[in-house]
């Protein structure tokens, strides 16, 4: 057992770390304030190959693995969670289902563009009426001749309304199964498309520069072969998509948690009170030491889940543990970093204030903390 990154992963981590420090961090406050989508940064990440990291070269990818993606997400989130979640959702929710479940034709049609970062795909599970119970959607798709006709709506869908959004995969009820449960199928809707509308961006507490919208489908007609993979496989596909996504969200949470440590250490050395730097006071130093301890443990948790995933081993429980723990400590670190900064920590222009607002969603998106506990408990046979 070894806990050292190999040379290739370490080189990637360093490249993304430098990109995040030089390009992403200096612009983060601006995008946070304006809520503009960071098109230029996305374009640069596309040129770096980040959108194609875990996909084979034959589909336009970099031929890397999921671990590489997690390292990139951690380094980006250390600087800016909006940029990190844009990449996470594009890869894990947008491209990955196409790669994992799509037909050869669907992969060849969509993946090269998505891997280049010139196009984004989104995945619509959550509905205005519920997200945790995603296996029970109201959105319906009815077969009409050679086509499917989709009616319904989805809520909080990331990357669904940017100028470069080209695909939305949407979970639909396509019938009833023999056991009375809904038959669920994922349908791929090219964007723009008649009958599909992405509403205006939500006003959010954090992740300001990330694109999040409600989607409306009104008699939206897609061809019969718009099914992702096979008919009736929607439930299994989204469960598996979320298992992987949780590892990635965990990496993102660790990045935010580390960013809070970075900022706190710097500030504690610089800020003076009662004649000396505040970092000399044990109350402050111990608070930051605890933040680093939590971050380190959370990182090991996602490394473990990612390593299992890459090795083709079961990782559901480990993914839920990593997501649950790292999102919890990201919120803790963001709160504590704000405390270290005192009044300045409450000012939006300081990164720790942004981290504080960006942290909370980590306990909600891609399965709430309660849902992670449900997954772990079920895996324990409870
Ligand atoms: C910024 C943002 C981006 C998002 N991006 C996407 C996206 O790209 N695609 C997508 O499909 N979704 C996306 N989501 C949706 C997100 O995944 C859901 O918000 C989340 O899964 C929770 O669903 P909900 O909001 O409907 O809460 P609900 O399911 O209504 O839950 C409300 C509360 O009840 C608790 N709860 C529910 N059921 C149980 C239970 N059985 N036992 C105990 N507690 C329970 C929950 O844990 C939660 O605390 C995004 C959300 C946000 C805010």
């Amino acid at each position: 057992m070894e806990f050292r990154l190999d040379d290739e992963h370490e080189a990637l981590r360093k490249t993304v770390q430098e990109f995040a420090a030089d390009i992403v961090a200096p612009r983060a406050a601006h995008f946070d304030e304006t809520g503009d989508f960071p098109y230029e940064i996305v374009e640069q990440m596309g040129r770096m190959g980040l959108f194609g990291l875990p996909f084979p070269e034959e589909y336009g990818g970099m031929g890397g693995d999921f671990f590489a993606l997690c390292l990139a997400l951690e380094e980006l989130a250390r600087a800016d969670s909006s940029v990190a979640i844009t990449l996470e959702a594009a890869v894990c929710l947008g491209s990955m289902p196409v790669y994992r479940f799509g037909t050869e034709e669907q992969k060849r049609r969509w993946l090269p563009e998505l891997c280049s970062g010139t196009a984004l795909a989104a995945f619509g599970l959550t509905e205005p009426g519920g997200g945790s119970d995603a296996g029970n959607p109201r959105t319906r798709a009815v077969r009409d001749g050679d086509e499917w006709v989709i009616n319904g709506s989805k809520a909080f869908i990331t990357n669904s309304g940017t100028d470069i959004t080209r695909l939305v995969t949407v979970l639909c009820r396509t019938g009833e199964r023999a056991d009375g449960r809904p038959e669920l199928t994922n349908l791929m809707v090219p964007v723009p498309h008649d009958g599909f509308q992405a509403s205006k961006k939500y006003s959010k507490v954090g992740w300001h520069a990330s694109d999040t919208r409600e989607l409306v489908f009104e008699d939206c007609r897609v061809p019969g072969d718009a099914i992702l993979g096979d008919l009736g496989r929607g439930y299994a596909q989204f469960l598996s998509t979320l298992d992987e996504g949780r590892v990635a969200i965990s990496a993102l949470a660790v990045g935010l948690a580390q960013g809070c440590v970075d900022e706190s250490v710097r500030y504690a050395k610089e800020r003076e009170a009662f004649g000396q730097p505040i970092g000399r006071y044990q109350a402050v130093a111990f608070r930051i030491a605890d933040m680093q301890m939590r971050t380190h443990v959370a990182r090991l948790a996602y490394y473990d889940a990612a390593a299992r995933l890459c090795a083709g081993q079961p990782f559901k429980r480990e993914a839920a543990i990593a997501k649950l723990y790292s999102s919890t400590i990201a919120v803790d670190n963001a709160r504590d970093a704000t405390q270290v900064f005192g009044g300045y920590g409450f000012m939006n222009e300081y990164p720790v204030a942004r981290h504080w607002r960006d942290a909370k969603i980590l306990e909600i998106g891609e399965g709430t903390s309660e849902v992670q506990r449900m997954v772990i408990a079920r895996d324990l046979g409870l």
Side-chain angles (χ1 to χ4, degrees), residues 104-293:
E104 192 56 32
E105 199 186 329
Q106 288 167 340
K107 290 187 217 183
R108 298 219 174 267
R109 172 171 179 198
W110 290 109
L111 288 178
E113 211 183 355
L114 298 176
C115 287
S116 73
T118 54
L120 294 177
F123 197 28
L125 290 176
T126 308
E127 301 200 344
S132 302
D133 190 13
N136 203 12
R138 295 206 178 143
T139 299
R140 281 184 183 277
V142 176
R143 190 79 185 197
D144 183 22
D146 288 345
E147 295 178 321
W148 288 100
V149 186
I150 309 172
N151 278 289
S153 57
K154 297 284 170 181
F156 313 132
I157 308 305
T158 305
N159 288 340
S160 59
T162 73
D163 295 347
I164 55 171
T165 302
R166 293 288 171 266
L167 172 68
V168 173
T169 303
V170 56
L171 182 76
C172 300
R173 195 181 271 255
T174 45
E176 301 296 324
R177 297 156 64 111
D179 61 6
R181 301 217 311 263
E183 175 191 82
L184 303 179
T185 303
N186 285 311
L187 290 173
M188 302 167 80
V189 180
V191 176
H193 201 83
D194 283 348
F196 164 80
Q197 202 199 332
S199 311
K200 81 176 177 53
K201 282 171 89 166
Y202 291 96
S203 167
K204 305 191 293 277
V205 169
W207 284 3
H208 283 170
S210 159
D211 182 84
T212 323
R213 302 186 191 244
E214 180 170 347
L215 308 181
V216 179
F217 300 85
E218 272 177 353
D219 291 332
C220 177
R221 289 179 172 268
V222 289
D225 64 3
I227 291 176
L228 175 67
D230 299 317
L231 184 73
R233 295 295 296 157
Y235 189 67
Q237 289 174 356
F238 93 70
L239 287 183
S240 149
T241 298
L242 290 182
D243 281 341
E244 282 190 345
R246 281 163 192 163
V247 184
I249 292 287
S250 175
L252 200 152
V254 168
L256 184 148
Q258 188 65 57
C260 291
V261 176
D262 299 343
E263 290 296 321
S264 299
V265 169
R266 188 182 57 69
Y267 193 73
K269 285 182 180 169
E270 200 176 277
R271 176 74 170 176
E272 293 198 355
F274 300 95
Q276 57 176 345
I278 57 170
R280 295 257 176 89
Y281 298 109
Q282 211 173 50
V284 175
F286 278 16
R287 187 188 291 275
I288 300 172
D290 281 355
M291 289 162 64
Q292 184 61 62
M293 171 191 69

Side-chain angles (χ1 to χ4, degrees), residues 330-360:
V331 172
D332 290 345
N333 277 18
R335 184 197 59 235
D336 283 1
T338 302
Q339 192 68 20
V340 169
F341 271 67
Y344 291 108
F346 203 59
M347 299 298 121
N348 272 328
E349 67 207 77
Y350 283 82
V352 292
R354 179 164 43 80
H355 288 321
W356 192 36
R357 287 184 284 102
D358 286 343
K360 182 60 200 170

